[in-house]
Amino acid sequence: MRFCQYCGAPLEDGQQCTCPQAQQKRQEQSASQPEGWSQPTPPQQPQQPVSQPQPSEQQGYGYGQAGSTQPGYGYQQTGADSQQPGYGYQQPGTGSQQPGYGYQQQPGGQGQPGGPSSQQAQQFAQMGKQMRDTTVHAAKSLKPFFTQYWTSPIQAVRTAVAEKNLTLAVTLTIIRAVVVIALLWSLVGKVAGILRTGFGTLGAISSMLGSSAAMTVKGNPLGSIVFGLLIAVLGMALFTLLLFGLTRIFKSGGSILDVYIANSANSGVTTAILLLAFVCSLFSLGLGLGLVVLACFSAVLFGGLSAQAVCADQNSGMFWLCYLAGVAVILLVSWWLVPALVMQAVGGITLSMNGESITVGKILKQLEDVGISNILSGLFSNMMY
Protein backbone atom coordinates (compact mmCIF):
# COMPACT_ATOMS: atom_id res chain seq x y z
CA MET A 1 0.00 0.00 0.00
CA ARG A 2 1.17 3.52 -0.85
CA PHE A 3 0.61 6.88 0.99
CA CYS A 4 0.37 10.41 -0.41
CA GLN A 5 3.53 12.34 0.19
CA TYR A 6 1.62 15.56 0.83
CA CYS A 7 -1.37 14.64 2.99
CA GLY A 8 -0.46 11.10 4.02
CA ALA A 9 -3.73 9.57 2.80
CA PRO A 10 -3.53 5.82 1.99
CA LEU A 11 -3.63 4.98 -1.72
CA GLU A 12 -4.43 1.74 -3.55
CA ASP A 13 -2.33 0.48 -6.43
CA GLY A 14 -2.85 2.85 -9.39
CA GLN A 15 -4.89 5.39 -7.32
CA GLN A 16 -3.91 9.07 -7.30
CA CYS A 17 -4.50 11.48 -4.35
CA THR A 18 -7.03 14.34 -4.80
CA CYS A 19 -5.51 16.72 -2.29
CA PRO A 20 -4.68 20.25 -3.63
CA GLN A 21 -0.93 19.73 -3.33
CA ALA A 22 -0.98 16.48 -5.35
CA GLN A 23 -3.22 17.98 -8.04
CA GLN A 24 -0.94 21.04 -8.37
CA LYS A 25 2.10 18.79 -8.73
CA ARG A 26 0.50 16.83 -11.53
CA GLN A 27 -0.44 20.02 -13.38
CA GLU A 28 3.13 21.32 -13.16
CA GLN A 29 4.55 18.08 -14.54
CA SER A 30 2.15 18.03 -17.48
CA ALA A 31 2.97 21.66 -18.30
CA SER A 32 6.73 20.99 -18.39
CA GLN A 33 6.51 17.95 -20.82
CA PRO A 34 6.69 18.58 -24.66
CA GLU A 35 3.61 18.19 -26.76
CA GLY A 36 3.06 14.73 -28.31
CA TRP A 37 5.17 12.97 -25.73
CA SER A 38 3.73 9.84 -24.11
CA GLN A 39 5.11 7.56 -21.50
CA PRO A 40 6.94 4.70 -23.19
CA THR A 41 5.54 1.30 -22.72
CA PRO A 42 7.85 -1.52 -21.73
CA PRO A 43 9.10 -3.53 -24.72
CA GLN A 44 7.38 -6.80 -25.40
CA GLN A 45 8.95 -9.95 -26.74
CA PRO A 46 7.96 -10.67 -30.33
CA GLN A 47 5.51 -13.50 -30.46
CA GLN A 48 6.62 -16.26 -32.76
CA PRO A 49 3.97 -17.84 -34.88
CA VAL A 50 3.10 -21.30 -33.83
CA SER A 51 3.16 -23.72 -36.69
CA GLN A 52 2.63 -27.40 -36.80
CA PRO A 53 5.91 -29.25 -37.31
CA GLN A 54 6.28 -31.00 -40.56
CA PRO A 55 7.02 -34.74 -40.61
CA SER A 56 10.53 -34.06 -41.89
CA GLU A 57 11.33 -31.50 -39.13
CA GLN A 58 9.56 -32.62 -35.96
CA GLN A 59 11.42 -34.03 -33.06
CA GLY A 60 9.78 -37.27 -32.11
CA TYR A 61 10.34 -39.60 -29.25
CA GLY A 62 8.93 -42.64 -30.87
CA TYR A 63 8.93 -44.00 -34.36
CA GLY A 64 11.14 -42.02 -36.77
CA GLN A 65 10.37 -42.09 -40.46
CA ALA A 66 12.96 -42.98 -43.09
CA GLY A 67 14.73 -40.09 -44.75
CA SER A 68 13.99 -37.60 -41.90
CA THR A 69 16.58 -35.49 -40.11
CA GLN A 70 15.12 -35.39 -36.57
CA PRO A 71 16.77 -37.36 -33.77
CA GLY A 72 14.71 -40.37 -32.81
CA TYR A 73 14.79 -41.90 -29.38
CA GLY A 74 13.27 -45.26 -29.98
CA TYR A 75 12.83 -47.66 -32.83
CA GLN A 76 14.03 -46.22 -36.12
CA GLN A 77 13.69 -47.70 -39.53
CA THR A 78 16.25 -45.86 -41.59
CA GLY A 79 16.09 -45.81 -45.33
CA ALA A 80 18.41 -44.78 -48.09
CA ASP A 81 20.49 -41.63 -47.53
CA SER A 82 19.14 -41.20 -44.01
CA GLN A 83 21.28 -39.07 -41.75
CA GLN A 84 19.42 -38.81 -38.41
CA PRO A 85 21.05 -40.30 -35.31
CA GLY A 86 19.25 -43.23 -33.77
CA TYR A 87 19.40 -44.38 -30.20
CA GLY A 88 17.97 -47.83 -30.24
CA TYR A 89 17.39 -50.59 -32.71
CA GLN A 90 18.57 -49.66 -36.17
CA GLN A 91 18.00 -51.47 -39.40
CA PRO A 92 20.42 -49.74 -41.77
CA GLY A 93 19.51 -49.41 -45.39
CA THR A 94 21.50 -48.52 -48.45
CA GLY A 95 23.66 -45.45 -47.90
CA SER A 96 22.65 -45.05 -44.26
CA GLN A 97 25.08 -42.81 -42.41
CA GLN A 98 23.44 -42.21 -39.01
CA PRO A 99 25.19 -43.44 -35.88
CA GLY A 100 23.36 -46.00 -33.80
CA TYR A 101 23.66 -46.61 -30.10
CA GLY A 102 22.24 -49.96 -29.25
CA TYR A 103 21.58 -53.08 -31.22
CA GLN A 104 22.60 -52.76 -34.86
CA GLN A 105 21.95 -55.37 -37.47
CA GLN A 106 25.20 -55.43 -39.44
CA PRO A 107 25.84 -57.56 -42.54
CA GLY A 108 28.45 -60.31 -42.43
CA GLY A 109 27.68 -61.68 -38.95
CA GLN A 110 27.98 -65.27 -37.80
CA GLY A 111 25.43 -67.39 -39.56
CA GLN A 112 24.33 -64.54 -41.90
CA PRO A 113 24.98 -64.43 -45.63
CA GLY A 114 28.54 -63.22 -46.17
CA GLY A 115 29.70 -64.30 -42.69
CA PRO A 116 32.68 -66.55 -41.90
CA SER A 117 30.65 -69.77 -42.02
CA SER A 118 29.09 -68.84 -45.33
CA GLN A 119 32.47 -67.86 -46.82
CA GLN A 120 34.05 -71.16 -45.71
CA ALA A 121 31.15 -73.09 -47.21
CA GLN A 122 31.58 -71.20 -50.48
CA GLN A 123 35.32 -71.89 -50.49
CA PHE A 124 34.79 -75.61 -49.91
CA ALA A 125 32.15 -75.68 -52.63
CA GLN A 126 34.51 -73.91 -55.02
CA MET A 127 37.35 -76.32 -54.19
CA GLY A 128 35.04 -79.28 -54.73
CA LYS A 129 33.97 -77.90 -58.09
CA GLN A 130 37.58 -77.38 -59.14
CA MET A 131 38.53 -80.93 -58.13
CA ARG A 132 35.54 -82.31 -59.99
CA ASP A 133 36.35 -80.32 -63.12
CA THR A 134 40.00 -81.41 -62.94
CA THR A 135 39.03 -85.07 -62.56
CA VAL A 136 36.60 -84.89 -65.47
CA HIS A 137 39.21 -83.15 -67.64
CA ALA A 138 41.83 -85.78 -66.73
CA ALA A 139 39.45 -88.64 -67.53
CA LYS A 140 38.57 -87.09 -70.87
CA SER A 141 42.23 -86.64 -71.80
CA LEU A 142 43.04 -90.36 -71.32
CA LYS A 143 40.82 -91.78 -74.07
CA PRO A 144 42.24 -89.83 -77.07
CA PHE A 145 45.78 -90.40 -75.82
CA PHE A 146 45.46 -94.18 -75.55
CA THR A 147 43.64 -94.28 -78.89
CA GLN A 148 46.63 -92.62 -80.53
CA TYR A 149 49.07 -94.63 -78.39
CA TRP A 150 47.62 -97.88 -79.72
CA THR A 151 48.41 -96.74 -83.26
CA SER A 152 51.78 -95.05 -82.72
CA PRO A 153 53.28 -94.92 -79.19
CA ILE A 154 56.13 -92.57 -80.04
CA GLN A 155 53.84 -90.13 -81.87
CA ALA A 156 51.36 -90.17 -78.97
CA VAL A 157 54.15 -89.33 -76.55
CA ARG A 158 55.42 -86.54 -78.78
CA THR A 159 51.92 -85.09 -79.03
CA ALA A 160 51.58 -85.08 -75.25
CA VAL A 161 54.97 -83.35 -74.92
CA ALA A 162 54.17 -80.79 -77.62
CA GLU A 163 50.83 -79.95 -75.98
CA LYS A 164 52.46 -79.75 -72.51
CA ASN A 165 49.77 -82.14 -71.34
CA LEU A 166 50.69 -82.03 -67.68
CA THR A 167 47.21 -83.21 -66.67
CA LEU A 168 47.77 -86.50 -68.48
CA ALA A 169 51.19 -86.96 -66.89
CA VAL A 170 50.00 -86.25 -63.36
CA THR A 171 46.97 -88.51 -63.80
CA LEU A 172 49.07 -91.46 -64.96
CA THR A 173 51.56 -90.84 -62.14
CA ILE A 174 48.80 -90.90 -59.54
CA ILE A 175 47.35 -94.11 -61.03
CA ARG A 176 50.82 -95.71 -60.90
CA ALA A 177 51.26 -94.69 -57.24
CA VAL A 178 47.84 -96.06 -56.25
CA VAL A 179 48.55 -99.39 -57.96
CA VAL A 180 51.98 -99.75 -56.30
CA ILE A 181 50.48 -98.94 -52.89
CA ALA A 182 47.74 -101.54 -53.40
CA LEU A 183 50.31 -104.12 -54.51
CA LEU A 184 52.51 -103.54 -51.45
CA TRP A 185 49.43 -103.60 -49.20
CA SER A 186 48.52 -107.01 -50.62
CA LEU A 187 52.09 -108.27 -50.14
CA VAL A 188 52.20 -107.18 -46.49
CA GLY A 189 48.77 -108.69 -45.92
CA LYS A 190 49.93 -112.01 -47.37
CA VAL A 191 52.95 -112.09 -45.07
CA ALA A 192 50.75 -111.23 -42.08
CA GLY A 193 48.38 -114.02 -43.10
CA ILE A 194 51.23 -116.54 -43.25
CA LEU A 195 52.38 -115.49 -39.78
CA ARG A 196 48.83 -115.62 -38.49
CA THR A 197 48.41 -119.15 -39.79
CA GLY A 198 51.74 -120.28 -38.32
CA PHE A 199 51.12 -118.78 -34.89
CA GLY A 200 47.59 -120.09 -34.98
CA THR A 201 48.96 -123.60 -35.32
CA LEU A 202 51.37 -123.00 -32.43
CA GLY A 203 48.49 -121.64 -30.37
CA ALA A 204 46.45 -124.75 -31.01
CA ILE A 205 49.37 -126.91 -29.92
CA SER A 206 49.91 -124.81 -26.78
CA SER A 207 46.21 -125.02 -25.90
CA MET A 208 46.44 -128.79 -26.15
CA LEU A 209 49.31 -128.64 -23.67
CA GLY A 210 47.22 -126.58 -21.26
CA SER A 211 48.47 -123.09 -22.13
CA SER A 212 45.96 -120.31 -22.83
CA ALA A 213 48.42 -117.99 -24.59
CA ALA A 214 47.25 -116.78 -27.99
CA MET A 215 49.10 -114.51 -30.42
CA THR A 216 47.39 -112.01 -32.71
CA VAL A 217 48.95 -110.61 -35.89
CA LYS A 218 48.15 -107.16 -37.26
CA GLY A 219 49.27 -105.84 -40.63
CA ASN A 220 50.85 -102.47 -41.44
CA PRO A 221 48.42 -100.42 -43.57
CA LEU A 222 50.05 -97.04 -42.89
CA GLY A 223 53.49 -98.40 -43.72
CA SER A 224 52.13 -99.89 -46.95
CA ILE A 225 50.82 -96.49 -48.02
CA VAL A 226 53.97 -94.56 -47.13
CA PHE A 227 56.55 -96.99 -48.51
CA GLY A 228 54.43 -97.85 -51.55
CA LEU A 229 54.27 -94.15 -52.43
CA LEU A 230 58.05 -93.86 -51.99
CA ILE A 231 58.66 -96.84 -54.32
CA ALA A 232 56.39 -95.37 -57.02
CA VAL A 233 57.99 -91.91 -56.80
CA LEU A 234 61.47 -93.43 -56.77
CA GLY A 235 60.91 -95.42 -59.95
CA MET A 236 59.40 -92.45 -61.78
CA ALA A 237 62.17 -90.09 -60.66
CA LEU A 238 65.02 -92.43 -61.67
CA PHE A 239 63.70 -92.94 -65.21
CA THR A 240 63.00 -89.22 -65.59
CA LEU A 241 66.59 -88.40 -64.62
CA LEU A 242 67.87 -91.03 -67.08
CA LEU A 243 65.91 -89.51 -69.97
CA PHE A 244 66.93 -85.98 -69.00
CA GLY A 245 70.57 -87.05 -69.00
CA LEU A 246 70.16 -88.49 -72.52
CA THR A 247 68.68 -85.21 -73.77
CA ARG A 248 71.74 -83.39 -72.48
CA ILE A 249 74.20 -85.90 -73.90
CA PHE A 250 72.63 -85.84 -77.38
CA LYS A 251 71.61 -82.17 -77.23
CA SER A 252 67.93 -82.63 -78.06
CA GLY A 253 66.98 -79.55 -76.03
CA GLY A 254 64.08 -81.02 -74.05
CA SER A 255 63.25 -79.56 -70.64
CA ILE A 256 62.79 -81.52 -67.44
CA LEU A 257 59.01 -81.00 -67.74
CA ASP A 258 59.01 -82.46 -71.27
CA VAL A 259 60.98 -85.47 -70.06
CA TYR A 260 58.58 -86.03 -67.16
CA ILE A 261 55.55 -85.87 -69.45
CA ALA A 262 57.15 -88.32 -71.88
CA ASN A 263 58.12 -90.75 -69.13
CA SER A 264 54.67 -90.62 -67.51
CA ALA A 265 52.84 -90.96 -70.81
CA ASN A 266 54.81 -94.09 -71.65
CA SER A 267 54.16 -95.77 -68.30
CA GLY A 268 50.64 -96.96 -69.03
CA VAL A 269 51.60 -100.51 -70.04
CA THR A 270 53.83 -100.99 -66.98
CA THR A 271 51.03 -99.72 -64.73
CA ALA A 272 48.59 -102.16 -66.33
CA ILE A 273 50.95 -105.09 -65.63
CA LEU A 274 51.37 -103.95 -62.01
CA LEU A 275 47.59 -103.79 -61.66
CA LEU A 276 47.37 -107.35 -62.94
CA ALA A 277 50.07 -108.35 -60.43
CA PHE A 278 47.97 -106.86 -57.61
CA VAL A 279 44.89 -108.82 -58.66
CA CYS A 280 46.87 -112.07 -58.95
CA SER A 281 48.62 -111.51 -55.60
CA LEU A 282 45.25 -111.75 -53.88
CA PHE A 283 45.17 -115.42 -54.87
CA SER A 284 48.81 -116.35 -55.38
CA LEU A 285 51.75 -114.44 -53.97
CA GLY A 286 54.23 -116.17 -56.30
CA LEU A 287 52.25 -115.26 -59.43
CA GLY A 288 52.00 -111.68 -58.26
CA LEU A 289 55.76 -111.41 -57.73
CA GLY A 290 56.39 -112.94 -61.18
CA LEU A 291 54.23 -110.26 -62.79
CA VAL A 292 56.18 -107.61 -60.88
CA VAL A 293 59.37 -108.86 -62.58
CA LEU A 294 57.57 -108.69 -65.94
CA ALA A 295 56.56 -105.09 -65.17
CA CYS A 296 60.22 -104.21 -64.62
CA PHE A 297 61.15 -105.55 -68.07
CA SER A 298 58.26 -103.63 -69.65
CA ALA A 299 59.50 -100.44 -67.99
CA VAL A 300 62.91 -100.92 -69.62
CA LEU A 301 61.35 -101.65 -73.02
CA PHE A 302 58.89 -98.76 -73.11
CA GLY A 303 61.44 -96.47 -71.52
CA GLY A 304 63.41 -96.87 -74.75
CA LEU A 305 60.40 -95.47 -76.67
CA SER A 306 60.32 -92.49 -74.33
CA ALA A 307 64.05 -91.96 -74.90
CA GLN A 308 63.54 -91.91 -78.67
CA ALA A 309 60.61 -89.52 -78.34
CA VAL A 310 62.62 -86.93 -76.39
CA CYS A 311 65.89 -87.45 -78.31
CA ALA A 312 64.55 -87.05 -81.86
CA ASP A 313 64.62 -90.71 -82.95
CA GLN A 314 68.20 -91.44 -82.03
CA ASN A 315 69.18 -94.93 -83.28
CA SER A 316 72.94 -94.87 -83.03
CA GLY A 317 74.84 -97.48 -81.08
CA MET A 318 76.12 -94.81 -78.70
CA PHE A 319 72.54 -93.81 -77.89
CA TRP A 320 71.45 -97.34 -76.99
CA LEU A 321 74.67 -97.95 -75.09
CA CYS A 322 74.07 -94.87 -72.96
CA TYR A 323 70.45 -95.89 -72.43
CA LEU A 324 71.35 -99.42 -71.30
CA ALA A 325 74.07 -98.07 -69.01
CA GLY A 326 71.52 -95.77 -67.40
CA VAL A 327 69.04 -98.66 -67.02
CA ALA A 328 71.75 -100.74 -65.31
CA VAL A 329 72.34 -97.93 -62.82
CA ILE A 330 68.60 -97.69 -62.15
CA LEU A 331 68.35 -101.44 -61.56
CA LEU A 332 71.26 -101.37 -59.13
CA VAL A 333 69.77 -98.49 -57.16
CA SER A 334 66.34 -100.13 -57.17
CA TRP A 335 67.82 -103.48 -56.07
CA TRP A 336 69.33 -101.68 -53.09
CA LEU A 337 66.43 -99.40 -52.15
CA VAL A 338 63.19 -101.17 -53.12
CA PRO A 339 63.73 -104.34 -51.03
CA ALA A 340 64.72 -102.16 -48.07
CA LEU A 341 61.47 -100.20 -48.39
CA VAL A 342 59.46 -103.42 -48.74
CA MET A 343 61.11 -104.85 -45.62
CA GLN A 344 60.28 -101.65 -43.75
CA ALA A 345 56.63 -102.19 -44.62
CA VAL A 346 56.79 -105.89 -43.68
CA GLY A 347 58.69 -105.06 -40.49
CA GLY A 348 55.72 -102.98 -39.31
CA ILE A 349 53.58 -106.12 -38.85
CA THR A 350 52.73 -106.32 -35.15
CA LEU A 351 52.61 -109.48 -33.04
CA SER A 352 50.69 -109.25 -29.77
CA MET A 353 50.42 -111.77 -26.93
CA ASN A 354 49.31 -111.35 -23.31
CA GLY A 355 49.09 -107.54 -23.68
CA GLU A 356 52.63 -107.19 -25.06
CA SER A 357 53.39 -106.30 -28.67
CA ILE A 358 56.45 -106.53 -30.87
CA THR A 359 56.99 -105.85 -34.55
CA VAL A 360 58.52 -108.17 -37.10
CA GLY A 361 61.24 -105.58 -37.67
CA LYS A 362 62.36 -105.77 -34.04
CA ILE A 363 62.36 -109.57 -34.18
CA LEU A 364 64.56 -109.52 -37.30
CA LYS A 365 66.85 -107.00 -35.65
CA GLN A 366 67.28 -109.24 -32.63
CA LEU A 367 67.98 -112.21 -34.90
CA GLU A 368 70.67 -110.20 -36.68
CA ASP A 369 72.24 -109.25 -33.36
CA VAL A 370 72.30 -112.82 -32.09
CA GLY A 371 73.24 -114.32 -35.43
CA ILE A 372 71.26 -116.77 -37.48
CA SER A 373 74.15 -119.22 -37.45
CA ASN A 374 74.20 -119.28 -33.65
CA ILE A 375 70.46 -119.95 -33.56
CA LEU A 376 70.75 -122.80 -36.08
CA SER A 377 73.72 -124.32 -34.25
CA GLY A 378 71.82 -124.12 -30.95
CA LEU A 379 68.83 -125.86 -32.46
CA PHE A 380 71.10 -128.53 -33.94
CA SER A 381 72.83 -129.08 -30.56
CA ASN A 382 69.47 -129.48 -28.79
CA MET A 383 68.39 -132.02 -31.36
CA MET A 384 71.60 -134.04 -30.99
CA TYR A 385 71.82 -134.01 -27.24
Side-chain angles (χ1 to χ4, degrees):
M1 178 170 294
R2 298 182 298 108
F3 297 90
C4 178
Q5 60 180 349
Y6 299 105
C7 64
L11 299 173
E12 297 292 335
D13 293 336
Q15 184 180 3
Q16 296 180 357
C17 187
T18 57
C19 64
Q21 294 86 352
Q23 293 179 359
Q24 183 179 359
K25 183 65 175 178
R26 285 194 298 270
Q27 291 176 359
E28 291 176 357
Q29 289 178 356
S30 58
S32 62
Q33 291 178 354
E35 185 178 0
W37 182 87
S38 62
Q39 186 176 358
T41 59
Q44 298 180 356
Q45 296 293 334
Q47 185 176 3
Q48 297 180 355
V50 179
S51 61
Q52 295 295 331
Q54 298 297 326
S56 61
E57 299 176 354
Q58 62 186 1
Q59 296 181 350
Y61 297 83
Y63 182 88
Q65 298 295 331
S68 63
T69 58
Q70 81 278 8
Y73 303 86
Y75 175 84
Q76 293 188 349
Q77 182 179 6
T78 60
D81 299 329
S82 177
Q83 299 179 357
Q84 74 267 21
Y87 302 85
Y89 174 84
Q90 291 188 348
Q91 188 176 8
T94 305
S96 178
Q97 299 177 358
Q98 72 276 14
Y101 303 89
Y103 173 79
Q104 293 185 352
Q105 185 178 0
Q106 299 292 342
Q110 184 71 22
Q112 299 178 355
S117 299
S118 177
Q119 292 178 358
Q120 291 179 1
Q122 292 178 359
Q123 291 177 358
F124 282 125
Q126 185 177 4
M127 291 174 59
K129 184 177 181 300
Q130 291 178 353
M131 292 179 62
R132 183 188 62 190
D133 295 342
T134 303
T135 304
V136 171
H137 177 67
K140 289 182 178 179
S141 65
L142 291 177
K143 183 178 180 181
F145 169 75
F146 283 115
T147 301
Q148 186 181 14
Y149 191 86
W150 183 261
T151 304
S152 177
I154 296 180
Q155 186 59 39
V157 173
R158 285 177 177 173
T159 302
V161 173
E163 294 177 352
K164 304 291 184 183
N165 197 342
L166 188 59
T167 301
L168 174 68
V170 173
T171 302
L172 292 176
T173 301
I174 293 175
I175 294 175
R176 167 76 74 86
V178 171
V179 171
V180 174
I181 290 172
L183 181 59
L184 184 58
W185 192 313
S186 176
L187 175 62
V188 174
K190 283 294 182 180
V191 175
I194 293 172
L195 294 175
R196 193 176 295 112
T197 302
F199 286 110
T201 304
L202 293 177
I205 296 174
S206 64
S207 62
M208 292 175 61
L209 297 176
S211 175
S212 61
M215 181 172 288
T216 59
V217 181
K218 183 180 179 181
N220 186 19
L222 179 60
S224 300
I225 295 174
V226 173
F227 295 109
L229 180 61
L230 289 176
I231 292 172
V233 172
L234 176 65
M236 187 65 67
L238 289 177
F239 259 98
T240 301
L241 291 176
L242 169 61
L243 298 180
F244 185 70
L246 291 176
T247 59
R248 290 297 171 267
I249 293 174
F250 294 94
K251 296 180 174 56
S252 61
S255 64
I256 188 68
L257 179 61
D258 296 336
V259 172
Y260 167 69
I261 294 175
N263 186 28
S264 301
N266 232 343
S267 64
V269 176
T270 303
T271 303
I273 298 175
L274 290 174
L275 179 60
L276 183 61
F278 162 69
V279 175
C280 294
S281 66
L282 298 176
F283 307 99
S284 174
L285 183 59
L287 181 58
L289 293 177
L291 289 174
V292 170
V293 176
L294 179 61
C296 294
F297 282 108
S298 68
V300 175
L301 176 61
F302 287 93
L305 298 179
S306 300
Q308 284 188 316
V310 297
C311 292
D313 286 336
Q314 287 285 339
N315 285 316
S316 63
M318 180 61 67
F319 171 77
W320 289 113
L321 182 62
C322 292
Y323 175 73
L324 293 177
V327 168
V329 173
I330 291 176
L331 291 177
L332 289 175
V333 174
S334 301
W335 185 262
W336 176 56
L337 288 179
V338 173
L341 295 175
V342 173
M343 289 305 299
Q344 288 291 329
V346 173
I349 299 174
T350 305
L351 308 177
S352 301
M353 185 175 64
N354 296 331
E356 297 182 358
S357 300
I358 189 172
T359 61
V360 173
K362 291 183 179 180
I363 295 175
L364 296 177
K365 180 64 175 176
Q366 291 177 0
L367 292 178
E368 290 179 359
D369 294 339
V370 174
I372 300 297
S373 59
N374 295 333
I375 295 176
L376 293 178
S377 62
L379 292 175
F380 183 75
S381 299
N382 292 331
M383 291 176 62
M384 293 296 294
Y385 300 101

